[in-house]
């Protein structure tokens, strides 16, 4: 597998990856053999279906699976091998895959920009300090007290302000 990288000014890298036909062929044979093991076609024992029948029935799906697997693995391998610091998943631009030839894949990926940190020791920053008054502190503490307060029954005194009361009431007018 060969990989060529092209950096652009907008923070993306275009990868052009070539996957050799021999690798594709080997992967395809593995996928076909797995399909043979899993396929149950009447007239054949499970796992004993001839490869030619599998390729006739499932050929397009096998090709799609192989192509998807090879492209995904090659892009992931290229990103790891080249040490690309991607910030987005790769997006495919072009795939050239014809029977009997190498697969060519082009994909773009956004990367962290290159930047140089200059001398920052002389920079002065204005720091804003928020003044908190005692009244604001007391208000917040009061809110926490109300939120965390427990209710308990009280008897022997009349209802006062801030009390929670429970009324069990049945009303009637003219006996109804």
């Amino acid at each position: 597998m060969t990989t060529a990288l092209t950096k652009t000014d907008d923070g993306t890298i275009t990868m052009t990856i070539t996957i050799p036909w021999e690798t594709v062929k080997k992967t395809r044979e593995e996928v076909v053999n797995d399909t043979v093991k899993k396929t149950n076609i009447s007239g054949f024992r499970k796992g004993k279906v001839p490869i030619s029948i599998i390729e006739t029935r499932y050929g397009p799906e096998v090709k799609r699976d192989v192509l998807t697997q090879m492209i995904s693995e090659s892009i992931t391998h290229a990103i790891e091998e080249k040490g690309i610091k991607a910030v987005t998943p790769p997006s495919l631009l072009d795939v050239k895959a014809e029977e009997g030839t190498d697969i060519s894949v082009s994909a773009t990926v956004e990367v962290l920009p290159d930047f140089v940190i200059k001398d920052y020791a002389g920079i002065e920053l204005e720091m804003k300090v928020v003044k908190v008054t005692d009244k604001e502190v007391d208000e917040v503490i009061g809110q926490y007290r109300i939120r965390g307060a427990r209710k308990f029954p009280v008897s022997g005194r009349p209802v006062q302000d801030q009390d929670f009361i429970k009324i069990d009431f049945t009303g009637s007018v003219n006996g109804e």
Side-chain angles (χ1 to χ4, degrees):
M1 181 176 78
T2 59
T3 306
L5 301 178
T6 308
K7 270 190 174 182
T8 59
D9 292 336
D10 62 349
T12 60
I13 290 180
T14 302
M15 298 182 288
T16 305
I17 303 168
T18 305
I19 306 168
W21 171 247
E22 292 302 319
T23 306
V24 175
K25 187 176 172 183
K26 181 181 175 190
T27 304
R28 184 174 173 188
E29 288 172 2
E30 290 172 1
V31 171
V32 168
N33 289 333
D34 285 347
T35 306
V36 166
K37 291 176 187 174
K38 296 175 187 175
T39 303
N40 192 9
I41 296 177
S42 61
F44 299 98
R45 288 181 295 160
K46 188 172 183 176
K48 301 296 182 180
V49 180
I51 292 176
S52 59
I53 293 177
I54 295 294
E55 288 182 347
T56 303
R57 282 198 179 179
Y58 303 109
E61 288 124 9
V62 168
K63 287 179 185 177
R64 185 188 64 233
D65 291 346
V66 168
L67 193 61
T68 303
Q69 178 183 343
M70 294 300 297
I71 290 172
S72 176
E73 288 175 359
S74 62
I75 289 175
T76 303
H77 180 71
I79 288 174
E80 290 173 1
E81 180 184 283
K82 301 292 183 177
I84 297 172
K85 295 177 183 168
V87 294
T88 60
S91 58
L92 287 177
L93 296 177
D94 186 34
V95 177
K96 294 178 185 169
E98 297 196 19
E99 192 69 30
T101 62
D102 295 348
I103 296 176
S104 177
V105 179
S106 293
T108 61
V109 65
E110 289 186 35
V111 295
L112 291 172
D114 294 330
F115 57 90
V116 178
I117 299 176
K118 296 182 180 178
D119 184 26
Y120 58 88
I123 297 175
E124 291 186 25
L125 299 173
E126 182 179 319
M127 190 165 129
K128 295 181 181 178
V129 178
V130 178
K131 301 279 183 186
V132 180
T133 64
D134 288 340
K135 181 182 175 189
E136 292 170 328
V137 171
D138 291 340
E139 287 176 3
V140 171
I141 290 173
Q143 291 171 358
Y144 278 114
R145 281 185 181 149
I146 291 170
R147 202 179 321 161
R150 289 189 221 143
K151 298 176 185 145
F152 55 92
V154 175
S155 59
R157 68 170 175 83
V159 175
Q160 297 177 354
D161 191 28
Q162 300 289 321
D163 281 353
F164 287 93
I165 59 171
K166 180 178 179 182
I167 300 175
D168 190 9
F169 177 75
T170 305
S172 64
V173 175
N174 296 332
E176 292 184 16

